[in-house]
Amino acid sequence: QVQLVESGGGSVQPGGSLGLSCAASGRFLSIYTMGWYRQAPGKERELVATISSGGITNYADSVKARFTISRDNAKNAVHLQLNSLNPQDTGVYYCKALARTSWVTPSHDYWGQGTQVTVSS
């Protein structure tokens, strides 16, 4: 019922920047929190940043000074600006949306397909 389409991944050198975007489409009643998670090879998926429908943000300590999450509610989209990238930022970045598609069932998480971010010399 909710599809998340991501764009903006790629390969950059240390110190470089990338911008990731994610747009939600489909049949839904409301989208609450949107955010980004990442998973490095051999590691568990971890939170990067989230933003509520009201604009309240939450960042992992490791990215708070370097990444910025923003949201366009009219377009049902979320963006992540990644600056001062280092090799430890390498991984698959996933877009997530907490959305409601029915008034009689609880809202739940929907995930994008993931986009690769590679930071290397």
Side-chain angles (χ1 to χ4, degrees):
Q1 293 295 309
V2 181
Q3 295 83 47
L4 301 176
V5 180
E6 302 169 327
S7 61
S11 182
V12 298
Q13 298 182 87
S17 298
L18 284 173
L20 307 182
S21 295
C22 173
S25 63
R27 297 171 63 87
F28 52 85
L29 300 175
S30 299
I31 296 180
Y32 303 115
T33 302
M34 302 187 77
W36 294 91
Y37 294 71
R38 69 186 181 188
Q39 188 167 20
K43 302 290 185 64
E44 295 184 349
R45 188 175 299 185
E46 64 177 354
L47 179 146
V48 177
T50 62
I51 183 168
S52 73
S53 59
I56 305 301
T57 59
N58 179 43
Y59 296 91
D61 289 342
S62 61
V63 309
K64 189 172 185 178
R66 300 180 294 119
F67 294 4
T68 302
I69 189 169
S70 59
R71 179 169 177 166
D72 186 339
N73 289 333
K75 297 181 179 179
N76 298 311
V78 63
H79 180 80
L80 184 69
Q81 181 65 38
L82 302 81
N83 297 324
S84 302
L85 286 162
N86 59 63
Q88 289 70 47
D89 296 316
T90 293
V92 179
Y93 283 66
Y94 297 91
C95 177
K96 188 183 80 172
L98 177 62
R100 178 180 294 278
T101 60
S102 170
W103 293 119
V104 298
T105 58
S107 59
H108 70 271
D109 291 334
Y110 294 85
W111 292 87
Q113 78 287 353
T115 185
Q116 179 70 41
V117 171
T118 301
V119 185
S120 65
S121 301

